[in-house]
Amino acid sequence: MPFFKSNRRSFLSWFVVTLTSTIWFQKSSASVTAIQIWERTIFLKDYATNNNLLYGAATQYSILDRDRDFARRFIEECAILVPENDFKWEKLRPTPQSFDFTKTDWLVGFALRNNLKLRGHTLVWYKALPDWFAAKVDRTNAARYLVEHINTVVGRYAGKIHSWDVVNEAIEPKHGRNDGLRSSPWLEYLREEYIELAFHTAAAADPQALLTYNDYDLAYDTPEQEARRTATLKLLERLKTKDVPIGALGMQAHLYAGSDRFNAKKLQGFMQNVADLGLKILVTELDVVDRSLEAATLFRDRAVADIYREYLDIVLAQPAVIAVITWGLSDRYTWLKKFRPRNDGTNVRPLPLDDNLDPKLAWFALANALQSL
Ligand code: G3I
């Protein structure tokens, strides 16, 4: 029995989680038994697939290559893989003239061998640019760099990528423009047309991939996030009016346990407006920041799981949603360790699996949400 391998404490915590979750399942599930979960014969991807959805997670070459247990669990739970960093400019572009595809080639092979779909993240972003970028790229050559980058990267993997985040985080209402666009080198050098240029170039390089605009802070009922929803919708409308080949919106969903609340009506209204443009929707980077919660593990896990469930119940009511992707699979590897650490020094617990790769309440919340459609 894999659960009992590690130690007694891990068995006890697993027992408590299973008991709690069995009670949840009795409330909402006719088809899944605690025995199936106990014996690990059913995984998140199965719940999703049963409802024509994809479940997957972000991870990295450096993790999959060295942590075999994690890689095995990844293949079990996921139907789609998003390289968290390996496709970013700073990783692919050691010099202005060269590309290093060692890790992305490996990831494409890993995905193919293990029957995983693959997302490309990301082609045009204001962050994660290489050190040489600022000195080399300017108004006169930015279009050439952007087109060459997209042609080379998308062209290399044409036919093998499920969806590309063509443009990432182009909106920032706080920057004060009427169109809500973010100040960035791309905007400065190429004006707002950089977005359509990127989509047209990607579509020509891989006509099969689903081309996505991806952004964050679209979930909560706050004036800032309402402004971001409005600007995002306007951007998508402009692109569709101009026949730009965009196929989907990626909603990142870095959620947090805090005082902000969802407003189901507003969020669903926004998603319906997106769907009415003929776009699919992907939840692309779901996790829950737990830094403001008290330390007790069970309390924390329950609060995080409740946020997963509440968010997914709202979002999965929209038929245009085709995928749910968490930004990491296990608390063993999460960007939040470094970027949103807890003040009390305890490990952050934002993801479906714990540090031992065992399911937490967040896993059950996902499973329940994915199967109760
Ligand atoms: O690989 C280098 C390593 O060689 C070096 O020794 C080390 C020193 O700090 O840095 C390593 O690179 C880091 C990289 O993650 C890989 O771990 C970068 O410094 C670090 O900035 C980078 O952070 C990533 C961040 O995007 C910026 O690219 C996070 O892992 C990643 O989770 C995060 O993901 C973003 C999405 O792309 C877009 N949406 C928001 C999301 C969270 O910020």
Side-chain angles (χ1 to χ4, degrees), residues 1-18 38 354 356 358:
M1 283 278 217
F3 298 137
F4 307 157
K5 266 191 211 150
S6 34
N7 56 38
R8 194 178 144 79
R9 197 162 147 254
S10 136
F11 168 73
L12 280 176
S13 73
W14 170 248
F15 182 75
V16 173
V17 167
T18 305
W38 184 267
D354 67 12
N356 293 322
D358 287 330

Side-chain angles (χ1 to χ4, degrees), residues 6 8 17 52 73 82 162 270 287-288 313 315 344:
S6 34
R8 194 178 144 79
V17 167
N52 286 324
R73 289 291 286 119
V82 191
H162 167 270
F270 167 72
D287 56 15
V288 180
D313 280 351
V315 158
D344 60 12

Side-chain angles (χ1 to χ4, degrees), residues 60 84-85 88 90-91 121 125 128 168-169 252 254 285 327 335 338-339:
Q60 308 188 35
E84 184 173 345
N85 292 308
K88 291 175 182 172
E90 68 175 356
K91 305 286 178 193
H121 173 83
W125 193 21
N168 193 42
E169 302 174 6
Q252 292 187 10
H254 296 290
E285 302 186 16
W327 205 239
W335 71 293
K338 177 174 158 191
F339 289 85

Side-chain angles (χ1 to χ4, degrees), residues 158-162 203 206-210:
K160 295 176 179 158
I161 300 286
H162 167 270
D206 184 355
Q208 287 179 41
L210 179 68

